[in-house]
Each structure stands twice: as structure tokens, then as C-alpha cells.
Amino acid sequence: MAAAADLPHPAADRIELAEVLAALGHPVRLEIVRKLASGEEAFCGEVVPDLPRSSVTHHLKTLRESGVICQRPHGRKLYLALRRDDLDECFPGLLELVLACRSRPLDSECDEQPL
């Protein structure tokens, strides 16, 4: 396994919309992003729900490789941060829209006006 410092983070100009949307499309990853929305860097253990380590690794890898988060090792801890500036530059308004949406059951009616 690669050291956390060796983990690839895409450059801002290489972030793809399809990959960001796919990463944000999973409830666990969306919850991680919501917890990082304040803009403050957070220790992995504070952000990631109680999941098996392999699941946590998978979700963080997906978010990191899509360009949604960055990971920074510090000693034995791994810190996470939302790449808000990069995402806002690449896809203005997307992150705010995703963070503003509340979860609702699939069979509920949308209370928003049609476009």
C-alpha cells in the first residue's frame, strides 16, 4: 500500500464532472463531504462513520481520486479537507447545490418548482 503522501490528487484542471458526480452519488461519501463543508481540515476518525476499514479506504480513495477531497498525513493521522476552491472554480455552484439538497425517499414528491 502506498504511503498517504504518495497518494495521487488530480490537479484542479484535471477534475472531471462525471467523476465528481459519481463520487458524490453514494450516501456515505456525500455524508463525508457534508462533514467537511465547513472548510476546516478534519482528522479521518472525526469524519468517517463507523465502517470497516476497507470501506473507509474505498470511499476516501474515490473522493480523493475524483478531486473532491485532499488527504494529508500528519504523523499517524490522516487529515481530510474538501477541495471547495478547486470544485467551485471547475463547476461553479455545483458544490453548494449538492450540499443544500436534503435527502428524501425516492417515492416522495419534490417540493421544488419545475425549471
PDB file of all heavy atoms in Angstrom, residues 29 32 36 44 47-48 54-66 69 71 78 80:
ATOM      1  N   ARG A  29     -20.277   8.769   1.020  1.00  0.00           N
ATOM      2  CA  ARG A  29     -19.344   9.795   0.537  1.00  0.00           C
ATOM      3  C   ARG A  29     -19.967  11.178   0.615  1.00  0.00           C
ATOM      4  O   ARG A  29     -19.292  12.155   0.948  1.00  0.00           O
ATOM      5  CB  ARG A  29     -18.885   9.457  -0.880  1.00  0.00           C
ATOM      6  CG  ARG A  29     -18.047   8.192  -0.916  1.00  0.00           C
ATOM      7  CD  ARG A  29     -17.364   7.975  -2.230  1.00  0.00           C
ATOM      8  NE  ARG A  29     -18.244   7.629  -3.320  1.00  0.00           N
ATOM      9  CZ  ARG A  29     -18.502   6.393  -3.726  1.00  0.00           C
ATOM     10  NH1 ARG A  29     -17.942   5.361  -3.112  1.00  0.00           N
ATOM     11  NH2 ARG A  29     -19.309   6.179  -4.745  1.00  0.00           N
ATOM     12  N   ILE A  32     -19.624  12.335   4.138  1.00  0.00           N
ATOM     13  CA  ILE A  32     -18.247  12.766   4.402  1.00  0.00           C
ATOM     14  C   ILE A  32     -18.052  14.198   3.898  1.00  0.00           C
ATOM     15  O   ILE A  32     -17.508  15.048   4.600  1.00  0.00           O
ATOM     16  CB  ILE A  32     -17.227  11.806   3.745  1.00  0.00           C
ATOM     17  CG1 ILE A  32     -17.261  10.445   4.437  1.00  0.00           C
ATOM     18  CG2 ILE A  32     -15.815  12.400   3.769  1.00  0.00           C
ATOM     19  CD1 ILE A  32     -16.498   9.351   3.704  1.00  0.00           C
ATOM     20  N   LEU A  36     -17.238  17.836   5.895  1.00  0.00           N
ATOM     21  CA  LEU A  36     -16.071  18.661   5.575  1.00  0.00           C
ATOM     22  C   LEU A  36     -16.466  20.029   5.016  1.00  0.00           C
ATOM     23  O   LEU A  36     -15.603  20.847   4.719  1.00  0.00           O
ATOM     24  CB  LEU A  36     -15.186  17.939   4.554  1.00  0.00           C
ATOM     25  CG  LEU A  36     -14.513  16.664   5.039  1.00  0.00           C
ATOM     26  CD1 LEU A  36     -13.831  15.955   3.865  1.00  0.00           C
ATOM     27  CD2 LEU A  36     -13.518  16.957   6.140  1.00  0.00           C
ATOM     28  N   CYS A  44      -9.426  12.028   9.987  1.00  0.00           N
ATOM     29  CA  CYS A  44     -10.248  10.989   9.373  1.00  0.00           C
ATOM     30  C   CYS A  44     -11.224  10.363  10.371  1.00  0.00           C
ATOM     31  O   CYS A  44     -12.395  10.159  10.054  1.00  0.00           O
ATOM     32  CB  CYS A  44      -9.337   9.924   8.779  1.00  0.00           C
ATOM     33  SG  CYS A  44     -10.194   8.581   7.979  1.00  0.00           S
ATOM     34  N   VAL A  47     -14.521  12.226  10.878  1.00  0.00           N
ATOM     35  CA  VAL A  47     -15.380  12.432   9.727  1.00  0.00           C
ATOM     36  C   VAL A  47     -16.053  11.151   9.235  1.00  0.00           C
ATOM     37  O   VAL A  47     -17.216  11.159   8.886  1.00  0.00           O
ATOM     38  CB  VAL A  47     -14.565  13.052   8.567  1.00  0.00           C
ATOM     39  CG1 VAL A  47     -15.386  13.181   7.315  1.00  0.00           C
ATOM     40  CG2 VAL A  47     -14.006  14.397   8.983  1.00  0.00           C
ATOM     41  N   VAL A  48     -15.300  10.095   9.199  1.00  0.00           N
ATOM     42  CA  VAL A  48     -15.785   8.856   8.599  1.00  0.00           C
ATOM     43  C   VAL A  48     -16.654   8.094   9.587  1.00  0.00           C
ATOM     44  O   VAL A  48     -16.271   7.888  10.726  1.00  0.00           O
ATOM     45  CB  VAL A  48     -14.596   7.990   8.134  1.00  0.00           C
ATOM     46  CG1 VAL A  48     -15.067   6.704   7.524  1.00  0.00           C
ATOM     47  CG2 VAL A  48     -13.751   8.772   7.150  1.00  0.00           C
ATOM     48  N   SER A  54     -11.770  -1.310   5.271  1.00  0.00           N
ATOM     49  CA  SER A  54     -11.708  -1.443   3.815  1.00  0.00           C
ATOM     50  C   SER A  54     -12.742  -0.537   3.140  1.00  0.00           C
ATOM     51  O   SER A  54     -12.479   0.033   2.078  1.00  0.00           O
ATOM     52  CB  SER A  54     -11.921  -2.893   3.389  1.00  0.00           C
ATOM     53  OG  SER A  54     -13.193  -3.351   3.806  1.00  0.00           O
ATOM     54  N   SER A  55     -13.904  -0.374   3.745  1.00  0.00           N
ATOM     55  CA  SER A  55     -14.931   0.511   3.187  1.00  0.00           C
ATOM     56  C   SER A  55     -14.494   1.969   3.280  1.00  0.00           C
ATOM     57  O   SER A  55     -14.675   2.740   2.335  1.00  0.00           O
ATOM     58  CB  SER A  55     -16.260   0.338   3.914  1.00  0.00           C
ATOM     59  OG  SER A  55     -16.788  -0.941   3.676  1.00  0.00           O
ATOM     60  N   VAL A  56     -13.930   2.339   4.412  1.00  0.00           N
ATOM     61  CA  VAL A  56     -13.432   3.709   4.587  1.00  0.00           C
ATOM     62  C   VAL A  56     -12.372   4.002   3.539  1.00  0.00           C
ATOM     63  O   VAL A  56     -12.414   5.041   2.873  1.00  0.00           O
ATOM     64  CB  VAL A  56     -12.865   3.910   6.011  1.00  0.00           C
ATOM     65  CG1 VAL A  56     -12.145   5.241   6.116  1.00  0.00           C
ATOM     66  CG2 VAL A  56     -13.975   3.793   7.040  1.00  0.00           C
ATOM     67  N   THR A  57     -11.433   3.091   3.364  1.00  0.00           N
ATOM     68  CA  THR A  57     -10.365   3.258   2.382  1.00  0.00           C
ATOM     69  C   THR A  57     -10.950   3.451   0.989  1.00  0.00           C
ATOM     70  O   THR A  57     -10.531   4.344   0.246  1.00  0.00           O
ATOM     71  CB  THR A  57      -9.415   2.049   2.409  1.00  0.00           C
ATOM     72  OG1 THR A  57      -8.852   1.941   3.713  1.00  0.00           O
ATOM     73  CG2 THR A  57      -8.307   2.183   1.381  1.00  0.00           C
ATOM     74  N   HIS A  58     -11.921   2.637   0.642  1.00  0.00           N
ATOM     75  CA  HIS A  58     -12.548   2.736  -0.681  1.00  0.00           C
ATOM     76  C   HIS A  58     -13.233   4.092  -0.876  1.00  0.00           C
ATOM     77  O   HIS A  58     -13.043   4.750  -1.909  1.00  0.00           O
ATOM     78  CB  HIS A  58     -13.561   1.603  -0.871  1.00  0.00           C
ATOM     79  CG  HIS A  58     -14.436   1.794  -2.061  1.00  0.00           C
ATOM     80  ND1 HIS A  58     -13.977   1.642  -3.354  1.00  0.00           N
ATOM     81  CD2 HIS A  58     -15.734   2.168  -2.163  1.00  0.00           C
ATOM     82  CE1 HIS A  58     -14.970   1.900  -4.195  1.00  0.00           C
ATOM     83  NE2 HIS A  58     -16.038   2.225  -3.495  1.00  0.00           N
ATOM     84  N   HIS A  59     -14.032   4.521   0.091  1.00  0.00           N
ATOM     85  CA  HIS A  59     -14.757   5.780  -0.047  1.00  0.00           C
ATOM     86  C   HIS A  59     -13.808   6.975  -0.113  1.00  0.00           C
ATOM     87  O   HIS A  59     -14.003   7.890  -0.925  1.00  0.00           O
ATOM     88  CB  HIS A  59     -15.759   5.956   1.097  1.00  0.00           C
ATOM     89  CG  HIS A  59     -16.911   5.018   1.014  1.00  0.00           C
ATOM     90  ND1 HIS A  59     -17.722   4.903  -0.097  1.00  0.00           N
ATOM     91  CD2 HIS A  59     -17.398   4.131   1.911  1.00  0.00           C
ATOM     92  CE1 HIS A  59     -18.654   4.001   0.112  1.00  0.00           C
ATOM     93  NE2 HIS A  59     -18.484   3.511   1.334  1.00  0.00           N
ATOM     94  N   LEU A  60     -12.773   6.982   0.723  1.00  0.00           N
ATOM     95  CA  LEU A  60     -11.820   8.099   0.695  1.00  0.00           C
ATOM     96  C   LEU A  60     -11.032   8.111  -0.608  1.00  0.00           C
ATOM     97  O   LEU A  60     -10.769   9.179  -1.175  1.00  0.00           O
ATOM     98  CB  LEU A  60     -10.891   8.034   1.901  1.00  0.00           C
ATOM     99  CG  LEU A  60     -11.561   8.255   3.258  1.00  0.00           C
ATOM    100  CD1 LEU A  60     -10.530   8.186   4.370  1.00  0.00           C
ATOM    101  CD2 LEU A  60     -12.328   9.569   3.301  1.00  0.00           C
ATOM    102  N   LYS A  61     -10.669   6.937  -1.101  1.00  0.00           N
ATOM    103  CA  LYS A  61      -9.945   6.851  -2.377  1.00  0.00           C
ATOM    104  C   LYS A  61     -10.806   7.407  -3.512  1.00  0.00           C
ATOM    105  O   LYS A  61     -10.324   8.173  -4.349  1.00  0.00           O
ATOM    106  CB  LYS A  61      -9.558   5.408  -2.666  1.00  0.00           C
ATOM    107  CG  LYS A  61      -8.865   5.224  -3.996  1.00  0.00           C
ATOM    108  CD  LYS A  61      -8.551   3.760  -4.259  1.00  0.00           C
ATOM    109  CE  LYS A  61      -7.929   3.609  -5.641  1.00  0.00           C
ATOM    110  NZ  LYS A  61      -7.753   2.206  -6.012  1.00  0.00           N
ATOM    111  N   THR A  62     -12.068   7.050  -3.530  1.00  0.00           N
ATOM    112  CA  THR A  62     -12.975   7.532  -4.567  1.00  0.00           C
ATOM    113  C   THR A  62     -13.098   9.059  -4.514  1.00  0.00           C
ATOM    114  O   THR A  62     -13.019   9.732  -5.550  1.00  0.00           O
ATOM    115  CB  THR A  62     -14.361   6.878  -4.419  1.00  0.00           C
ATOM    116  OG1 THR A  62     -14.217   5.460  -4.533  1.00  0.00           O
ATOM    117  CG2 THR A  62     -15.332   7.377  -5.474  1.00  0.00           C
ATOM    118  N   LEU A  63     -13.267   9.604  -3.323  1.00  0.00           N
ATOM    119  CA  LEU A  63     -13.368  11.056  -3.173  1.00  0.00           C
ATOM    120  C   LEU A  63     -12.068  11.751  -3.558  1.00  0.00           C
ATOM    121  O   LEU A  63     -12.085  12.792  -4.224  1.00  0.00           O
ATOM    122  CB  LEU A  63     -13.765  11.418  -1.742  1.00  0.00           C
ATOM    123  CG  LEU A  63     -15.205  11.103  -1.348  1.00  0.00           C
ATOM    124  CD1 LEU A  63     -15.389  11.230   0.160  1.00  0.00           C
ATOM    125  CD2 LEU A  63     -16.182  12.007  -2.093  1.00  0.00           C
ATOM    126  N   ARG A  64     -10.945  11.187  -3.145  1.00  0.00           N
ATOM    127  CA  ARG A  64      -9.640  11.793  -3.453  1.00  0.00           C
ATOM    128  C   ARG A  64      -9.334  11.741  -4.944  1.00  0.00           C
ATOM    129  O   ARG A  64      -8.968  12.743  -5.546  1.00  0.00           O
ATOM    130  CB  ARG A  64      -8.536  11.090  -2.668  1.00  0.00           C
ATOM    131  CG  ARG A  64      -7.140  11.610  -2.979  1.00  0.00           C
ATOM    132  CD  ARG A  64      -6.070  10.864  -2.207  1.00  0.00           C
ATOM    133  NE  ARG A  64      -6.267   9.440  -2.073  1.00  0.00           N
ATOM    134  CZ  ARG A  64      -6.000   8.537  -3.021  1.00  0.00           C
ATOM    135  NH1 ARG A  64      -5.527   8.934  -4.186  1.00  0.00           N
ATOM    136  NH2 ARG A  64      -6.194   7.259  -2.804  1.00  0.00           N
ATOM    137  N   GLU A  65      -9.513  10.576  -5.557  1.00  0.00           N
ATOM    138  CA  GLU A  65      -9.172  10.426  -6.971  1.00  0.00           C
ATOM    139  C   GLU A  65     -10.106  11.208  -7.891  1.00  0.00           C
ATOM    140  O   GLU A  65      -9.733  11.547  -9.002  1.00  0.00           O
ATOM    141  CB  GLU A  65      -9.147   8.947  -7.351  1.00  0.00           C
ATOM    142  CG  GLU A  65      -7.965   8.227  -6.756  1.00  0.00           C
ATOM    143  CD  GLU A  65      -7.874   6.763  -7.144  1.00  0.00           C
ATOM    144  OE1 GLU A  65      -8.845   6.216  -7.722  1.00  0.00           O
ATOM    145  OE2 GLU A  65      -6.826   6.162  -6.870  1.00  0.00           O
ATOM    146  N   SER A  66     -11.306  11.502  -7.424  1.00  0.00           N
ATOM    147  CA  SER A  66     -12.226  12.308  -8.226  1.00  0.00           C
ATOM    148  C   SER A  66     -11.932  13.796  -8.080  1.00  0.00           C
ATOM    149  O   SER A  66     -12.453  14.606  -8.848  1.00  0.00           O
ATOM    150  CB  SER A  66     -13.669  12.023  -7.823  1.00  0.00           C
ATOM    151  OG  SER A  66     -13.930  12.501  -6.522  1.00  0.00           O
ATOM    152  N   ILE A  69     -11.873  15.651  -2.419  1.00  0.00           N
ATOM    153  CA  ILE A  69     -11.152  15.909  -1.169  1.00  0.00           C
ATOM    154  C   ILE A  69      -9.655  15.799  -1.391  1.00  0.00           C
ATOM    155  O   ILE A  69      -9.204  15.253  -2.406  1.00  0.00           O
ATOM    156  CB  ILE A  69     -11.562  14.939  -0.025  1.00  0.00           C
ATOM    157  CG1 ILE A  69     -11.118  13.505  -0.337  1.00  0.00           C
ATOM    158  CG2 ILE A  69     -13.041  15.036   0.267  1.00  0.00           C
ATOM    159  CD1 ILE A  69     -11.206  12.545   0.850  1.00  0.00           C
ATOM    160  N   GLN A  71      -6.186  14.551   0.968  1.00  0.00           N
ATOM    161  CA  GLN A  71      -5.769  13.854   2.180  1.00  0.00           C
ATOM    162  C   GLN A  71      -4.344  14.261   2.502  1.00  0.00           C
ATOM    163  O   GLN A  71      -3.500  14.340   1.610  1.00  0.00           O
ATOM    164  CB  GLN A  71      -5.831  12.337   1.973  1.00  0.00           C
ATOM    165  CG  GLN A  71      -7.231  11.815   1.749  1.00  0.00           C
ATOM    166  CD  GLN A  71      -7.240  10.331   1.424  1.00  0.00           C
ATOM    167  OE1 GLN A  71      -6.724   9.918   0.408  1.00  0.00           O
ATOM    168  NE2 GLN A  71      -7.843   9.548   2.293  1.00  0.00           N
ATOM    169  N   LEU A  78      -4.440  10.858   9.501  1.00  0.00           N
ATOM    170  CA  LEU A  78      -4.711  11.293   8.142  1.00  0.00           C
ATOM    171  C   LEU A  78      -5.778  12.378   8.209  1.00  0.00           C
ATOM    172  O   LEU A  78      -6.854  12.177   8.772  1.00  0.00           O
ATOM    173  CB  LEU A  78      -5.219  10.107   7.308  1.00  0.00           C
ATOM    174  CG  LEU A  78      -5.493  10.372   5.841  1.00  0.00           C
ATOM    175  CD1 LEU A  78      -4.211  10.782   5.117  1.00  0.00           C
ATOM    176  CD2 LEU A  78      -6.076   9.122   5.193  1.00  0.00           C
ATOM    177  N   LEU A  80      -8.306  15.210   6.345  1.00  0.00           N
ATOM    178  CA  LEU A  80      -9.108  15.363   5.134  1.00  0.00           C
ATOM    179  C   LEU A  80      -9.568  16.812   5.012  1.00  0.00           C
ATOM    180  O   LEU A  80      -9.842  17.462   6.017  1.00  0.00           O
ATOM    181  CB  LEU A  80     -10.354  14.471   5.207  1.00  0.00           C
ATOM    182  CG  LEU A  80     -10.151  13.020   5.583  1.00  0.00           C
ATOM    183  CD1 LEU A  80     -11.498  12.344   5.784  1.00  0.00           C
ATOM    184  CD2 LEU A  80      -9.342  12.308   4.523  1.00  0.00           C
TER     185      LEU A  80
END
